[in-house]
Amino acid sequence: MDYFVGDTEYFKGIKKIEFEGKKSRNPLAFKFYDAKKMIAGKTMEEHLRFATAYWHSFCADGADPFGSATIKFPFKKSDPMENALAKADAAFEFITKIGTPYYCFHDADVAPGSEDARTYEKNYHLVADALLARQKASKVKLLWNTANVFTHPFFMNGAATNPDFAVVSRAALQVKNCLDVNVQLGGENYVFWGGREGYMTLLNTNMKREREHLARFLTMARDYGRSIGFKGTFLIEPKPMEPTKHQYDFDAATTIGFIREFGLQDDFKCNIEANHATLAGHTFAHDLQVCTDSGMLGSVDANQGDNQNGWDTDEFPSNVYETTLAMIAILKNGGLGTGGLNFDAKIRRNSTDPEDIFLAHIGGMDSFAFGLEVAQKIIDEGVFDGFIKERYASFDSGNGKLFEEGKLNLGDLASLGRDAEIIQKSGKQEYLQNLLNSYLLG
Ligand code: XLS
Ligand code: NI
Ligand code: NI
């Protein structure tokens, strides 16, 4: 048995998920994700660095504003600590059966008792010891953890950006403990998602001061993390809105600007979530490319949104068109570095069979594995790159080159413009879309 099971097996009847190839009709098998298959010198597992998200898979019970829980977890216990330990067992059983090499969690996902600060610390560290034991037994690694400083009513006006210093300090208590636990568990990254770091109305908000507080807080977290031996990457996860009306880390470009404005660029990168990019009015690939272009791609929350909905539906990725374009940006970045593809995604409220969480991850992993193979082929054959290179060829020599090198002034440029011969050139978008489809379908 090459998966982890504690004293109880929670997902009975489901074995380790294996690769069977694209002809397989076995719902509990991979069709494209073949962990050890080599693609351009690395295994699929090394390229994709998948992670299971604790909060969606072992905490979200299907409750929504219109209805109560529908998903019954096999590990539920009435004592909160016993529940946390049983949940950890079920989580590691799931993670090793599905075969993501990594996992991610919030403090509140793994440990109970966040109301009283001292109980919070005690419980969290007890559970962290239990997680470490399970990591060692299973070889599963921590991609990142983070502090849940958005659910509790304490944080209704923000965490690091709260107008009340007492709340800022309470958020710091959680972040400090999360960094301690991260180092204990060998975390490769640490995430800040600014769930309530934003505002609802300017009528009660000093935005300048709040952004400065956020930067001060992140700088302190960076300094503390480095002082206790955290060697990984600090990540900020952009999102434009929800739960606040205006979130400060709106999208990749805004977040990169913030990171640079406050001198955090040597330690911080972005964690790009597909559905957050689309909420910001971009495509997933756009926000990845913004990061790739500025050396700021840290990690990815792999999910997808719903074209007809304006909120964060956090669906499992199934759109292979999107995963292919995403993998092109990731491969051109030279991979994900310390980051990975974390399934920040949930099954639908009416997906209530215990196997549904397996099927969801299989679909997500297959969609990215497929995207990886197609993206590598597109890059290897270089047709798109060749087309783009040719499109900018007028900057490769002569005056265009001098322009790029900063050797012309506006007067020079304007005189060239006086006699410029402008020939209309098609952008060939339809040709390129057809070409992309031929790779996807071929
Ligand atoms: C919510 C975010 C959240 C972060 C971690 O929209 O995606 O889940 O990834 O706090
Ligand atoms: Ni996320
Ligand atoms: Ni999200």
Side-chain angles (χ1 to χ4, degrees):
M1 183 164 61
D2 53 354
Y3 49 85
F4 173 92
V5 169
D7 293 338
T8 314
E9 184 171 22
Y10 290 100
F11 299 96
K12 285 201 190 67
I14 299 181
K15 298 201 171 55
K16 187 165 179 2
I17 306 301
E18 305 288 355
F19 170 74
E20 290 187 2
K22 65 181 176 187
K23 295 225 163 68
S24 168
R25 292 288 174 260
N26 174 4
L28 287 167
F30 293 118
K31 320 297 180 297
F32 297 95
Y33 181 61
D34 183 3
K36 301 295 172 213
K37 181 171 179 183
M38 296 297 291
I39 308 268
K42 282 202 274 184
T43 63
M44 277 194 166
E45 187 174 24
E46 289 163 344
H47 275 287
L48 299 166
R49 298 170 59 81
F50 287 127
T52 298
Y54 224 91
W55 53 103
H56 284 308
S57 293
F58 315 113
C59 304
D61 57 12
D64 72 9
F66 305 96
S68 52
T70 54
I71 295 164
K72 288 175 198 68
F73 292 114
F75 52 81
K76 277 280 176 206
K77 300 266 183 297
S78 50
D79 175 77
M81 258 332 248
E82 274 179 33
N83 186 62
L85 297 176
K87 189 201 283 191
D89 277 338
F92 277 79
E93 182 191 327
F94 172 79
I95 296 164
T96 50
K97 282 183 171 177
I98 196 70
T100 64
Y102 291 95
Y103 76 121
C104 299
F105 64 83
H106 301 81
D107 47 1
D109 306 334
V110 295
S114 60
E115 176 88 30
D116 171 68
R118 286 173 181 76
T119 313
Y120 160 80
E121 288 186 289
K122 191 172 128 253
N123 288 349
Y124 191 16
H125 289 282
L126 283 173
V127 176
D129 293 342
L131 292 174
L132 182 62
R134 285 156 182 76
Q135 280 185 214
K136 284 188 175 152
S138 65
K139 308 276 186 298
V140 171
K141 292 171 284 183
L142 179 63
L143 187 67
W144 51 262
N145 68 333
T146 185
N148 180 331
V149 285
F150 45 87
T151 297
H152 196 280
F154 286 156
F155 301 115
M156 70 177 192
N157 294 313
T161 62
N162 199 291
D164 181 353
F165 177 69
V167 180
V168 176
S169 69
R170 183 57 164 75
L173 173 88
Q174 286 186 228
V175 170
K176 180 205 172 280
N177 279 280
C178 284
L179 285 165
D180 291 336
V181 166
N182 182 298
V183 171
Q184 182 189 3
L185 301 183
E188 299 189 21
N189 308 271
Y190 183 82
V191 163
F192 293 93
W193 168 60
R196 298 199 192 268
E197 312 293 25
Y199 67 92
M200 307 305 280
T201 171
L202 276 180
L203 297 175
N204 64 15
T205 303
N206 184 331
M207 177 160 54
K208 181 169 190 295
R209 230 169 152 180
E210 290 201 2
R211 288 179 71 254
E212 286 167 359
H213 290 176
L214 179 57
R216 168 77 56 220
F217 189 100
L218 296 178
T219 305
M220 290 162 75
R222 188 263 324 262
D223 292 345
Y224 178 74
R226 294 301 182 218
S227 80
I228 59 166
F230 173 67
K231 301 219 166 34
T233 315
F234 290 95
L235 301 170
I236 298 180
E237 182 177 322
K239 187 175 184 181
M241 66 196 87
E242 196 207 1
T244 58
K245 161 89 178 130
H246 303 272
Q247 265 171 236
Y248 294 135
D249 307 320
F250 187 91
D251 61 0
T254 313
T255 303
I256 292 166
F258 176 91
I259 288 172
R260 290 186 174 153
E261 179 181 349
F262 293 101
L264 296 166
Q265 62 278 359
D266 294 338
D267 300 276
F268 281 77
K269 290 184 174 168
C270 293
N271 180 36
I272 298 301
E273 179 164 322
N275 204 167
H276 296 183
T278 53
L279 262 182
H282 305 304
T283 60
F284 180 24
H286 169 89
D287 258 23
L288 292 172
Q289 190 66 43
V290 167
C291 291
T292 296
D293 289 346
S294 43
M296 281 285 165
L297 180 58
S299 198
V300 171
D301 271 5
N303 62 14
Q304 69 183 31
D306 181 311
N307 288 339
Q308 283 74 46
N309 271 347
W311 67 87
D312 199 12
T313 57
D314 285 343
E315 294 167 26
F316 273 85
S318 61
N319 182 333
V320 293
Y321 202 97
E322 271 189 12
T323 59
T324 301
L325 295 177
M327 286 313 302
I328 291 175
I330 291 170
L331 288 172
K332 290 201 168 170
N333 188 59
L336 288 161
T338 62
L341 295 172
N342 166 49
F343 289 113
D344 191 350
K346 59 178 178 241
I347 49 175
R348 299 303 89 188
R349 182 171 185 269
N350 44 352
S351 298
T352 50
D353 289 343
E355 68 162 21
D356 288 336
I357 187 185
F358 284 87
L359 303 176
H361 281 81
I362 290 169
M365 292 162 82
D366 272 343
S367 298
F368 271 94
F370 176 84
L372 166 64
E373 293 215 63
V374 178
Q376 187 62 52
K377 191 152 187 251
I378 285 173
I379 291 172
D380 287 345
E381 294 186 6
V383 186
F384 291 90
D385 284 338
F387 181 89
I388 293 172
K389 186 162 187 347
E390 181 54 34
R391 202 163 179 235
Y392 294 86
S394 61
F395 294 92
D396 292 339
S397 61
N399 290 318
K401 187 156 190 252
L402 294 179
F403 165 84
E404 275 200 351
E405 291 169 353
K407 291 182 181 148
L408 299 181
N409 62 32
L410 189 68
D412 302 330
L413 197 54
S415 343
L416 290 166
R418 203 163 287 124
D419 299 314
E421 196 197 341
I422 298 175
I423 303 159
Q424 192 175 58
K425 287 181 200 137
S426 171
K428 308 297 293 175
Q429 184 169 332
E430 295 76 10
Y431 156 69
L432 294 163
Q433 286 168 338
N434 296 350
L435 185 63
L436 180 57
N437 276 352
S438 73
Y439 277 95
L440 281 159
L441 304 171

